[in-house]
Amino acid sequence: MSLSEIKKEIKKQANPKQAVILQRFFKTGKGEYGEGDIFYGIKVPVQRSIAKLFKDLSLEDLKMLIHSKVHEERLIAAFILVDQYKKGDDKKKKTVFDFYLKNRKGINNWDLVDLSAPKIVGEYLLDKEKDLLYKLARSKDLWEKRIAILSTQTFIRNHFFEDTLNISEILINDKHDLIHKAVGWMLREVGNRNMQTEEEFLRKHYKTMPRTMLRYAIEKFPEKKRKDYLEGRI
């Protein structure tokens, strides 16, 4: 299991036509959020298979992979880290968590965040102090902010909503639509488990929160109630 071997396997799966589609989808043009990102055009199930083959890759090699210019190499590194965290003992989990945070500059697109942050950062902090997430939420970096809110998905699944709501308030006036979508999504996840808690938050903020955030948050509401929120009749 070596860096050169996994890179060779990844490149072998490249699909140039798919790469063109993905580079448009992930906004890699000048001035866009994924500017300069390089794609090989490998579908996620194939990436997961590669990650499984190289699940014991060393942290030294994973560090190189997670800072790659190639999107799929970074995502595969994230998948391997998730697997090593899940299967590790307490010492290993702490090591993976620390490694993830130290190398979070490589977690720099929404899929990378969404498929790893809840399963590493969220899981590790579930029974610990959450100060780190509030620090990340106040960052100027788009992906650190998304890591902060997405990590709370793990708390939501365990019926702990306070941190999701608090971080949503920090991010409620953010300018980026990827934050609007992430916050709205997590509020919807809260509502899936406790509608009253979500609505208490929405009644306080729905008239001033970004429209996209609101739409995501109320997506599964009954049609009449959804329209009432959108038209300011609550």
Side-chain angles (χ1 to χ4, degrees), residues 97-134:
F97 170 77
D98 289 343
F99 176 91
Y100 184 89
L101 288 177
K102 187 175 181 180
N103 294 281
R104 65 185 180 273
K105 290 298 180 186
I107 307 297
N108 59 357
N109 215 312
W110 57 264
D111 60 329
L112 289 156
V113 173
D114 298 2
L115 294 171
S116 63
K119 295 178 180 180
I120 297 176
V121 181
E123 287 288 346
Y124 186 77
L125 295 178
L126 182 60
D127 59 353
K128 299 176 181 66
E129 291 296 320
K130 313 296 194 295
D131 295 356
L132 168 70
L133 296 185
Y134 290 85

Short mmCIF file of all heavy atoms in Angstrom, two decimals, residues 97-134:
data_model
loop_
_atom_site.label_atom_id
_atom_site.label_comp_id
_atom_site.label_asym_id
_atom_site.label_seq_id
_atom_site.Cartn_x
_atom_site.Cartn_y
_atom_site.Cartn_z
N PHE A 97 -8.86 12.43 13.93
CA PHE A 97 -9.51 13.73 14.14
C PHE A 97 -8.49 14.86 14.06
O PHE A 97 -8.70 15.86 13.35
CB PHE A 97 -10.21 13.73 15.50
CG PHE A 97 -10.73 15.07 15.95
CD1 PHE A 97 -11.88 15.60 15.42
CD2 PHE A 97 -10.04 15.80 16.92
CE1 PHE A 97 -12.36 16.84 15.84
CE2 PHE A 97 -10.51 17.03 17.35
CZ PHE A 97 -11.67 17.56 16.80
N ASP A 98 -7.39 14.73 14.78
CA ASP A 98 -6.35 15.76 14.77
C ASP A 98 -5.76 15.93 13.37
O ASP A 98 -5.51 17.06 12.92
CB ASP A 98 -5.23 15.40 15.76
CG ASP A 98 -5.68 15.55 17.21
OD1 ASP A 98 -6.70 16.21 17.47
OD2 ASP A 98 -4.99 14.97 18.09
N PHE A 99 -5.53 14.82 12.69
CA PHE A 99 -4.98 14.86 11.33
C PHE A 99 -5.94 15.60 10.40
O PHE A 99 -5.52 16.44 9.59
CB PHE A 99 -4.74 13.44 10.83
CG PHE A 99 -4.27 13.36 9.40
CD1 PHE A 99 -2.91 13.36 9.11
CD2 PHE A 99 -5.17 13.27 8.36
CE1 PHE A 99 -2.46 13.29 7.79
CE2 PHE A 99 -4.75 13.20 7.04
CZ PHE A 99 -3.39 13.22 6.75
N TYR A 100 -7.22 15.27 10.50
CA TYR A 100 -8.24 15.89 9.64
C TYR A 100 -8.25 17.40 9.82
O TYR A 100 -8.25 18.16 8.83
CB TYR A 100 -9.61 15.30 9.99
CG TYR A 100 -10.76 15.75 9.13
CD1 TYR A 100 -11.09 15.07 7.97
CD2 TYR A 100 -11.53 16.84 9.49
CE1 TYR A 100 -12.16 15.47 7.18
CE2 TYR A 100 -12.60 17.26 8.71
CZ TYR A 100 -12.92 16.56 7.56
OH TYR A 100 -13.98 16.98 6.78
N LEU A 101 -8.24 17.86 11.05
CA LEU A 101 -8.27 19.30 11.31
C LEU A 101 -6.99 19.98 10.84
O LEU A 101 -7.03 21.06 10.24
CB LEU A 101 -8.49 19.56 12.79
CG LEU A 101 -9.89 19.26 13.31
CD1 LEU A 101 -9.94 19.49 14.80
CD2 LEU A 101 -10.93 20.12 12.60
N LYS A 102 -5.87 19.34 11.08
CA LYS A 102 -4.59 19.92 10.69
C LYS A 102 -4.48 20.05 9.18
O LYS A 102 -3.83 20.97 8.66
CB LYS A 102 -3.45 19.07 11.23
CG LYS A 102 -2.07 19.68 11.02
CD LYS A 102 -1.01 18.85 11.70
CE LYS A 102 0.38 19.48 11.51
NZ LYS A 102 1.44 18.67 12.17
N ASN A 103 -5.14 19.14 8.46
CA ASN A 103 -5.06 19.11 6.99
C ASN A 103 -6.36 19.51 6.32
O ASN A 103 -6.61 19.17 5.17
CB ASN A 103 -4.63 17.71 6.54
CG ASN A 103 -3.22 17.37 6.99
OD1 ASN A 103 -2.24 17.80 6.39
ND2 ASN A 103 -3.11 16.61 8.07
N ARG A 104 -7.19 20.28 7.03
CA ARG A 104 -8.51 20.62 6.51
C ARG A 104 -8.48 21.51 5.27
O ARG A 104 -9.50 21.64 4.58
CB ARG A 104 -9.38 21.25 7.59
CG ARG A 104 -8.90 22.59 8.13
CD ARG A 104 -9.79 23.04 9.28
NE ARG A 104 -9.40 24.32 9.85
CZ ARG A 104 -8.50 24.48 10.81
NH1 ARG A 104 -7.87 23.41 11.30
NH2 ARG A 104 -8.22 25.68 11.28
N LYS A 105 -7.35 22.11 4.96
CA LYS A 105 -7.26 22.90 3.73
C LYS A 105 -7.51 22.03 2.50
O LYS A 105 -7.89 22.53 1.45
CB LYS A 105 -5.89 23.58 3.63
CG LYS A 105 -5.68 24.70 4.64
CD LYS A 105 -6.68 25.83 4.46
CE LYS A 105 -6.46 26.94 5.46
NZ LYS A 105 -7.51 27.99 5.38
N GLY A 106 -7.29 20.72 2.64
CA GLY A 106 -7.57 19.81 1.54
C GLY A 106 -9.03 19.43 1.43
O GLY A 106 -9.47 18.85 0.43
N ILE A 107 -9.81 19.76 2.45
CA ILE A 107 -11.27 19.49 2.45
C ILE A 107 -11.93 20.76 1.93
O ILE A 107 -12.48 21.56 2.68
CB ILE A 107 -11.76 19.11 3.86
CG1 ILE A 107 -10.93 17.96 4.43
CG2 ILE A 107 -13.24 18.74 3.85
CD1 ILE A 107 -11.03 16.66 3.66
N ASN A 108 -11.87 20.95 0.62
CA ASN A 108 -12.17 22.27 0.07
C ASN A 108 -13.19 22.25 -1.06
O ASN A 108 -13.08 22.99 -2.04
CB ASN A 108 -10.87 22.93 -0.40
CG ASN A 108 -10.13 22.12 -1.44
OD1 ASN A 108 -10.56 21.01 -1.79
ND2 ASN A 108 -9.04 22.65 -1.94
N ASN A 109 -14.19 21.40 -0.90
CA ASN A 109 -15.36 21.48 -1.76
C ASN A 109 -16.51 20.85 -1.00
O ASN A 109 -16.29 20.12 -0.01
CB ASN A 109 -15.14 20.79 -3.11
CG ASN A 109 -15.88 21.51 -4.24
OD1 ASN A 109 -17.06 21.83 -4.10
ND2 ASN A 109 -15.19 21.77 -5.35
N TRP A 110 -17.74 21.13 -1.42
CA TRP A 110 -18.88 20.75 -0.58
C TRP A 110 -19.03 19.24 -0.42
O TRP A 110 -19.42 18.76 0.64
CB TRP A 110 -20.17 21.36 -1.11
CG TRP A 110 -20.54 21.03 -2.52
CD1 TRP A 110 -20.29 21.78 -3.63
CD2 TRP A 110 -21.25 19.87 -2.98
NE1 TRP A 110 -20.78 21.15 -4.75
CE2 TRP A 110 -21.39 19.98 -4.38
CE3 TRP A 110 -21.78 18.75 -2.33
CZ2 TRP A 110 -22.03 19.01 -5.15
CZ3 TRP A 110 -22.42 17.77 -3.10
CH2 TRP A 110 -22.53 17.92 -4.49
N ASP A 111 -18.70 18.46 -1.45
CA ASP A 111 -18.83 17.02 -1.30
C ASP A 111 -17.78 16.46 -0.33
O ASP A 111 -18.08 15.56 0.46
CB ASP A 111 -18.73 16.32 -2.66
CG ASP A 111 -17.42 16.58 -3.39
OD1 ASP A 111 -16.83 17.67 -3.21
OD2 ASP A 111 -16.97 15.70 -4.14
N LEU A 112 -16.58 17.02 -0.38
CA LEU A 112 -15.54 16.60 0.55
C LEU A 112 -15.96 16.86 1.99
O LEU A 112 -15.78 16.00 2.87
CB LEU A 112 -14.24 17.36 0.24
CG LEU A 112 -13.53 16.96 -1.06
CD1 LEU A 112 -12.66 18.11 -1.56
CD2 LEU A 112 -12.70 15.73 -0.86
N VAL A 113 -16.53 18.02 2.24
CA VAL A 113 -17.02 18.36 3.58
C VAL A 113 -18.15 17.44 3.99
O VAL A 113 -18.11 16.81 5.06
CB VAL A 113 -17.49 19.83 3.64
CG1 VAL A 113 -18.15 20.12 4.98
CG2 VAL A 113 -16.33 20.79 3.40
N ASP A 114 -19.16 17.34 3.13
CA ASP A 114 -20.39 16.65 3.51
C ASP A 114 -20.18 15.16 3.76
O ASP A 114 -20.87 14.56 4.60
CB ASP A 114 -21.44 16.82 2.42
CG ASP A 114 -21.83 18.28 2.19
OD1 ASP A 114 -21.25 19.16 2.86
OD2 ASP A 114 -22.68 18.55 1.33
N LEU A 115 -19.23 14.55 3.05
CA LEU A 115 -19.01 13.11 3.16
C LEU A 115 -18.00 12.73 4.23
O LEU A 115 -17.76 11.55 4.46
CB LEU A 115 -18.59 12.54 1.81
CG LEU A 115 -19.66 12.61 0.71
CD1 LEU A 115 -19.07 12.24 -0.65
CD2 LEU A 115 -20.84 11.70 1.04
N SER A 116 -17.41 13.73 4.89
CA SER A 116 -16.40 13.40 5.90
C SER A 116 -16.59 14.11 7.24
O SER A 116 -16.41 13.49 8.29
CB SER A 116 -15.00 13.72 5.36
OG SER A 116 -14.84 15.10 5.09
N ALA A 117 -16.95 15.39 7.23
CA ALA A 117 -17.02 16.15 8.49
C ALA A 117 -17.96 15.54 9.53
O ALA A 117 -17.59 15.40 10.70
CB ALA A 117 -17.39 17.60 8.21
N PRO A 118 -19.18 15.14 9.17
CA PRO A 118 -20.06 14.55 10.20
C PRO A 118 -19.49 13.26 10.78
O PRO A 118 -19.67 12.98 11.97
CB PRO A 118 -21.37 14.28 9.44
CG PRO A 118 -21.32 15.18 8.24
CD PRO A 118 -19.88 15.27 7.87
N LYS A 119 -18.78 12.49 9.95
CA LYS A 119 -18.32 11.18 10.37
C LYS A 119 -16.99 11.20 11.10
O LYS A 119 -16.58 10.19 11.68
CB LYS A 119 -18.22 10.26 9.14
CG LYS A 119 -19.59 10.01 8.51
CD LYS A 119 -19.48 9.16 7.26
CE LYS A 119 -20.87 8.92 6.65
NZ LYS A 119 -20.79 8.09 5.43
N ILE A 120 -16.30 12.33 11.07
CA ILE A 120 -15.05 12.46 11.82
C ILE A 120 -15.19 13.54 12.88
O ILE A 120 -15.16 13.27 14.08
CB ILE A 120 -13.86 12.75 10.88
CG1 ILE A 120 -13.64 11.57 9.91
CG2 ILE A 120 -12.58 13.00 11.70
CD1 ILE A 120 -12.55 11.81 8.87
N VAL A 121 -15.39 14.78 12.46
CA VAL A 121 -15.48 15.89 13.42
C VAL A 121 -16.73 15.75 14.28
O VAL A 121 -16.67 15.86 15.51
CB VAL A 121 -15.47 17.24 12.69
CG1 VAL A 121 -15.55 18.39 13.69
CG2 VAL A 121 -14.22 17.38 11.83
N GLY A 122 -17.87 15.51 13.64
CA GLY A 122 -19.11 15.37 14.39
C GLY A 122 -19.08 14.21 15.36
O GLY A 122 -19.48 14.35 16.52
N GLU A 123 -18.60 13.06 14.90
CA GLU A 123 -18.55 11.88 15.77
C GLU A 123 -17.60 12.11 16.94
O GLU A 123 -17.92 11.76 18.08
CB GLU A 123 -18.08 10.66 14.97
CG GLU A 123 -19.11 10.11 14.01
CD GLU A 123 -20.26 9.40 14.69
OE1 GLU A 123 -20.16 9.10 15.91
OE2 GLU A 123 -21.29 9.16 14.02
N TYR A 124 -16.45 12.72 16.67
CA TYR A 124 -15.47 12.90 17.75
C TYR A 124 -15.98 13.88 18.81
O TYR A 124 -15.78 13.69 20.01
CB TYR A 124 -14.15 13.41 17.18
CG TYR A 124 -13.05 13.48 18.23
CD1 TYR A 124 -12.40 12.33 18.65
CD2 TYR A 124 -12.70 14.69 18.82
CE1 TYR A 124 -11.42 12.38 19.63
CE2 TYR A 124 -11.73 14.76 19.80
CZ TYR A 124 -11.09 13.59 20.20
OH TYR A 124 -10.13 13.64 21.18
N LEU A 125 -16.66 14.93 18.37
CA LEU A 125 -17.10 15.98 19.30
C LEU A 125 -18.47 15.70 19.93
O LEU A 125 -18.92 16.48 20.76
CB LEU A 125 -17.15 17.33 18.58
CG LEU A 125 -15.79 17.89 18.11
CD1 LEU A 125 -16.00 19.21 17.39
CD2 LEU A 125 -14.83 18.06 19.28
N LEU A 126 -19.08 14.60 19.57
CA LEU A 126 -20.44 14.31 20.04
C LEU A 126 -20.55 14.40 21.56
O LEU A 126 -21.51 14.99 22.08
CB LEU A 126 -20.86 12.92 19.56
CG LEU A 126 -22.28 12.47 19.92
CD1 LEU A 126 -23.32 13.42 19.35
CD2 LEU A 126 -22.51 11.04 19.42
N ASP A 127 -19.58 13.87 22.28
CA ASP A 127 -19.64 13.88 23.75
C ASP A 127 -18.58 14.78 24.36
O ASP A 127 -18.16 14.59 25.50
CB ASP A 127 -19.50 12.45 24.29
CG ASP A 127 -18.18 11.80 23.87
OD1 ASP A 127 -17.45 12.39 23.06
OD2 ASP A 127 -17.90 10.68 24.35
N LYS A 128 -18.15 15.79 23.56
CA LYS A 128 -17.10 16.69 24.03
C LYS A 128 -17.52 18.15 23.85
O LYS A 128 -18.57 18.43 23.27
CB LYS A 128 -15.80 16.42 23.26
CG LYS A 128 -15.26 15.00 23.44
CD LYS A 128 -14.04 14.78 22.58
CE LYS A 128 -13.52 13.34 22.74
NZ LYS A 128 -14.48 12.35 22.20
N GLU A 129 -16.69 19.06 24.35
CA GLU A 129 -16.95 20.49 24.15
C GLU A 129 -16.95 20.82 22.66
O GLU A 129 -16.16 20.26 21.89
CB GLU A 129 -15.88 21.32 24.87
CG GLU A 129 -15.97 21.25 26.39
CD GLU A 129 -17.27 21.83 26.92
OE1 GLU A 129 -17.72 22.88 26.40
OE2 GLU A 129 -17.85 21.25 27.86
N LYS A 130 -17.79 21.76 22.27
CA LYS A 130 -17.98 22.06 20.86
C LYS A 130 -17.34 23.40 20.44
O LYS A 130 -17.63 23.93 19.37
CB LYS A 130 -19.48 22.12 20.53
CG LYS A 130 -20.32 20.97 21.08
CD LYS A 130 -19.94 19.64 20.49
CE LYS A 130 -20.96 18.55 20.77
NZ LYS A 130 -21.11 18.18 22.19
N ASP A 131 -16.46 23.97 21.29
CA ASP A 131 -15.89 25.29 21.02
C ASP A 131 -15.27 25.39 19.63
O ASP A 131 -15.36 26.42 18.96
CB ASP A 131 -14.83 25.64 22.06
CG ASP A 131 -15.41 25.79 23.45
OD1 ASP A 131 -16.65 25.70 23.60
OD2 ASP A 131 -14.64 26.01 24.41
N LEU A 132 -14.63 24.31 19.19
CA LEU A 132 -13.97 24.30 17.88
C LEU A 132 -14.95 24.66 16.77
O LEU A 132 -14.62 25.42 15.85
CB LEU A 132 -13.36 22.92 17.62
CG LEU A 132 -12.89 22.69 16.19
CD1 LEU A 132 -11.66 23.52 15.88
CD2 LEU A 132 -12.63 21.22 15.94
N LEU A 133 -16.16 24.10 16.83
CA LEU A 133 -17.13 24.35 15.77
C LEU A 133 -17.55 25.81 15.71
O LEU A 133 -17.76 26.36 14.63
CB LEU A 133 -18.35 23.45 15.95
CG LEU A 133 -18.12 21.95 15.84
CD1 LEU A 133 -19.44 21.21 15.91
CD2 LEU A 133 -17.38 21.60 14.56
N TYR A 134 -17.64 26.44 16.86
CA TYR A 134 -18.01 27.86 16.89
C TYR A 134 -16.87 28.71 16.30
O TYR A 134 -17.13 29.71 15.63
CB TYR A 134 -18.35 28.28 18.32
CG TYR A 134 -19.65 27.66 18.79
CD1 TYR A 134 -19.69 26.38 19.34
CD2 TYR A 134 -20.85 28.34 18.66
CE1 TYR A 134 -20.88 25.80 19.75
CE2 TYR A 134 -22.06 27.77 19.06
CZ TYR A 134 -22.06 26.50 19.61
OH TYR A 134 -23.25 25.94 20.01
#
